[in-house]
Amino acid sequence: LKVFAFFPDKVSEFIITGSRDGKSFSSLPVERANYYSGAGEYDYDKPVIFTLNNIPKGITYIKIQYTSQAEISRVELKYGD
């Protein structure tokens, strides 16, 4: 799972959780990579990619919760072998 996001202000974490039944969710270990190289002339937002390398077996629901103002631009989900 990869979540591509942009933050207008301070970069914060997304809370990414998974569930087998859609009711009981638990936290998933996510890595964050910042790609911000300065605001430039146009006051660019800060690009960040959140990566979950292995979704635990049996997880059929994923929830992404915001902790600050952000924009998700793309979500990539790999499944199967």
Side-chain angles (χ1 to χ4, degrees):
L1 172 77
K2 282 190 179 184
V3 179
F4 297 76
F6 292 91
F7 291 83
D9 298 312
K10 182 180 175 190
V11 173
S12 63
E13 299 295 329
F14 283 139
I15 299 170
I16 300 179
T17 55
S19 173
R20 288 176 166 75
D21 61 7
K23 296 176 185 171
S24 176
F25 285 82
S26 52
S27 194
L28 298 174
V30 178
E31 296 175 12
R32 180 177 88 181
N34 295 325
Y35 292 94
Y36 186 63
S37 61
E41 294 180 28
Y42 302 103
D43 196 26
Y44 295 119
D45 288 350
K46 298 157 189 74
V48 178
I49 299 175
F50 296 89
T51 304
L52 171 61
N53 290 317
N54 294 306
I55 297 175
K57 201 169 197 154
I59 296 294
T60 54
Y61 298 88
I62 300 285
K63 187 187 299 186
I64 303 169
Q65 296 173 285
Y66 291 82
T67 58
S68 69
Q69 185 178 356
E71 177 184 324
I72 292 177
S73 63
R74 183 170 79 212
V75 175
E76 294 179 358
L77 180 61
K78 259 187 179 176
Y79 63 93
D81 292 330

